[in-house]
Amino acid sequence: MMEAWRNPIILLSLVLYLGICIGFGLWAMRRTHSTRDFFMAGRSLGPLVLTFAIFSSTLSGFGFVGGPGLVYSMGMSSAYMIIVSTAGFTMGFFLVSKRIRLIAELRDNVSLPGIVAARYNSNPARLLTALAILLGVMGYLATQILAMAVVMQSIINSVGWFGSTSLLFCMAVSSAVLIFYCVTGGIIASVYTDVIQGSAMAVAGILIVFTVYAVFDGSLAGASRVLYEDDPAAIGPFGTEGMICALSWYFVFGLGLAGQPHIITKMMMTRNLADNRYVLPASILGYALSGLLWIMLGFAMRALVIQGAHAPLGSPDMAAAEFLQFYTHPILAGVVFAALFAAIMSTADGFLNVGTAAVIHDIPIAIRGHAVRNELFWARVVTVLLSVTAAGFALFSYYVNERLVAILGVFGWSTFAAAIVPVVALGLNWKRATAGAACAAIVISLALNLSLELFAIDIPWGIHGGFIALLVSMISFIVISLLQTPKPLAEDIDAVMDM
């Protein structure tokens, strides 16, 4: 009986979640009285909320929609993105969390470019960091918006009550809810919904493993045989893209986590620095459990299509949606889809938050010496403008450039990693680093990333362009710092660097 109502149950779960988002936005609006609340949640988050906020921000539309799509299309190559990111949490916390939180409190900063400006005593470094964040936000935010639209379209069309629904309509509806949620509640709405969606993601990751076992005769061994007989490389340790490509992703996603502004900015929001001893292991555990969705859903759909049990997918990005709609218990599917939208919404809110801070706070300070008046009002206006722009970019990428959700996500991730890892992760741990080196590293990384992307330059052996940009950026940062004479650090920054 319940199976007959599978698709309506999934749609109802989605509608209920969107209603919850609107409710959280209204609730958070009453707690948002300043830009510090809007951007930093008042720096008052406890360990539980911070844990879910950090690991949920990492696995979002990129992981839920794009990840299974990558596994479906290229086998186990993309597993290096998800597996190494668990180790990346440790590196990110070790390199960044303590000093970024202390500087944020000492200088009352509400943004990552503000931390960079304080570390290097340089407004040009603040400006370039803000521009790098803004550019990366466009690619990564487009990922989230496109993921929402793709999943919503699949759910609505499967119900059949409304005929064939266009991707544009789904993007308009989901973006409208996202904008309302972000404009009213800021980062406060995001971090508190993370508790609900992070719990659902972790539990769903475990249940999906058992579901995949039940779908195949011979459990995972049977599915593995199907994949091996079709293409041995797909089930091999490096997937169809080969070892060098997989290892380049290993580097970008391992070290690169310490350069993701939507993640490391949340390290500035903790109420008590000592809470990190609990936040780090809990974040790794939650991320690892949720990451099972990335591998298992793509793995299962590839095997089902190969053995003829399921029709070939129109797009690899449909792998997660198709498996949830046809092979899981209706309630589990509804919970996972709701968790998926929660993950996308909270991560998109995080991106909008850091992008908006760059536009209305850091760029004006870097250029004019002071922020705009009535920052909270303009923060909400710019949030709307960034959302609409990113939605347009997502439509262009989907219809004109035919980019998969995950590929957009990789571009955004690598843009952040190459520009921010040297400047923040290395710069906060090395007094010899200079402002000139920081500015040069950002410019070089952006020029490389954009050139490789815009001109579709083919790099041998499947090496990802983000790896090249990050490597060159780090080398440039170190070499230029060694060639220049560093300026004396401010007394408070010097003390933080000694801790």
Side-chain angles (χ1 to χ4, degrees):
M1 177 65 180
M2 186 173 291
E3 189 63 31
W5 289 89
R6 163 183 291 275
N7 293 323
I9 288 173
I10 295 173
L11 180 60
L12 178 61
S13 300
L14 176 60
V15 171
L16 286 174
Y17 174 70
L18 293 178
I20 290 172
C21 282
I22 294 172
F24 263 108
L26 293 171
W27 170 79
M29 183 169 63
R30 294 197 297 269
R31 301 187 56 173
T32 303
H33 307 294
S34 65
T35 51
R36 185 180 179 191
D37 294 331
F38 192 86
F39 293 129
M40 285 283 107
R43 284 200 291 270
S44 60
L45 300 185
L48 178 65
V49 176
L50 188 63
T51 294
F52 285 110
I54 289 176
F55 91 76
S56 300
S57 296
T58 314
L59 192 73
S60 53
F62 177 19
F64 258 158
V65 178
L70 284 179
V71 175
Y72 175 85
S73 60
M74 62 181 62
M76 297 303 292
S77 300
S78 70
Y80 282 80
M81 297 181 188
I82 191 77
I83 293 171
V84 74
S85 292
T86 56
F89 278 106
T90 303
M91 189 173 297
F93 268 83
F94 176 76
L95 293 174
V96 175
S97 64
K98 179 171 69 175
R99 292 186 177 93
I100 200 174
R101 175 63 179 84
L102 291 173
I103 293 174
E105 184 168 357
L106 286 171
R107 297 295 183 92
D108 197 25
N109 280 317
V110 297
S111 66
L112 183 59
I115 299 294
V116 172
R119 161 62 182 89
Y120 297 99
N121 191 25
S122 169
N123 268 330
R126 179 200 290 265
L127 176 63
L128 288 170
T129 303
L131 291 175
I133 288 174
L134 190 58
L135 180 63
V137 160
M138 284 298 100
Y140 224 141
L141 183 57
T143 304
Q144 311 305 316
I145 291 174
L146 182 56
M148 283 194 297
V150 167
V151 174
M152 180 176 283
Q153 182 186 37
S154 173
I155 294 172
I156 294 177
N157 287 345
S158 66
V159 174
W161 293 347
F162 310 100
S164 179
T165 305
S166 70
L167 185 75
L168 181 60
F169 172 81
C170 295
M171 186 171 290
V173 172
S174 55
S175 296
V177 177
L178 170 65
I179 290 171
F180 180 86
Y181 167 74
C182 298
V183 165
T184 53
I187 200 66
I188 294 177
S190 172
V191 295
Y192 281 95
T193 54
D194 282 338
V195 176
I196 300 172
Q197 63 101 343
S199 303
M201 286 162 59
V203 173
I206 298 172
L207 294 178
I208 285 295
V209 174
F210 290 106
T211 302
V212 173
Y213 266 89
V215 166
F216 293 96
D217 293 332
S219 65
L220 289 179
S224 299
R225 281 194 298 272
V226 172
L227 294 173
Y228 182 81
E229 290 169 2
D230 176 72
D231 184 357
I235 198 66
F238 302 110
T240 60
E241 299 300 296
M243 179 177 67
I244 302 300
C245 175
L247 292 179
S248 72
W249 279 341
Y250 186 97
F251 183 73
V252 169
F253 281 82
L255 186 57
L257 189 139
Q260 304 306 305
H262 59 297
I263 298 173
I264 61 177
T265 298
K266 289 183 171 65
M267 297 176 184
M268 298 162 59
M269 301 179 189
T270 179
R271 181 173 56 220
N272 188 341
L273 193 58
D275 289 342
N276 283 342
R277 72 185 71 177
Y278 311 111
V279 174
L280 174 58
S283 296
I284 292 173
L285 176 62
Y287 182 79
L289 293 175
S290 302
L292 293 171
L293 293 162
W294 177 307
I295 297 175
M296 298 303 292
L297 293 176
F299 181 85
M301 281 309 302
R302 185 180 176 101
L304 287 166
V305 169
I306 289 170
Q307 70 182 13
H310 195 93
L313 302 183
S315 167
D317 285 337
M318 298 303 299
E322 291 285 298
F323 186 85
L324 292 172
Q325 283 184 324
F326 291 99
Y327 300 101
T328 61
H329 189 279
I331 294 179
L332 174 59
V335 169
V336 174
F337 272 119
L340 164 59
F341 263 78
I344 294 172
M345 288 280 189
S346 65
T347 304
D349 192 356
F351 284 123
L352 284 169
N353 199 263
V354 297
T356 298
V359 173
I360 63 105
H361 185 77
D362 292 296
I363 292 177
I365 289 177
I367 295 175
R368 303 189 306 169
H370 58 85
V372 299
R373 294 181 179 180
N374 199 357
E375 272 192 319
L376 186 56
F377 168 78
W378 286 110
R380 287 170 166 150
V381 172
V382 171
T383 295
V384 175
L385 295 177
L386 286 181
S387 301
V388 173
T389 304
F393 181 44
L395 287 171
F396 173 82
S397 298
Y398 189 80
Y399 286 114
V400 179
N401 206 21
E402 296 182 350
R403 306 299 304 281
L404 298 179
V405 167
I407 300 304
L408 276 176
V410 171
F411 171 70
W413 181 285
S414 55
T415 298
F416 288 141
I420 296 175
V421 165
V423 176
V424 175
L426 296 186
L428 289 179
N429 294 277
W430 187 34
K431 290 186 178 183
R432 189 74 175 74
T434 66
C439 293
I442 293 171
V443 172
I444 290 169
S445 70
L446 293 180
L448 267 176
N449 256 322
L450 284 175
S451 298
L452 293 170
E453 179 72 16
L454 293 176
F455 299 110
I457 297 173
D458 188 23
I459 304 174
W461 305 301
I463 297 175
H464 188 265
F467 168 77
I468 301 295
L470 177 55
L471 184 62
V472 172
S473 171
M474 291 183 67
I475 293 173
S476 302
F477 180 78
I478 293 169
V479 170
I480 295 172
S481 291
L482 292 173
L483 292 175
Q484 292 182 326
T485 301
K487 295 179 181 179
L489 295 172
E491 186 176 342
D492 57 344
I493 302 300
D494 188 64
V496 169
M497 295 282 284
D498 285 333
M499 291 182 178

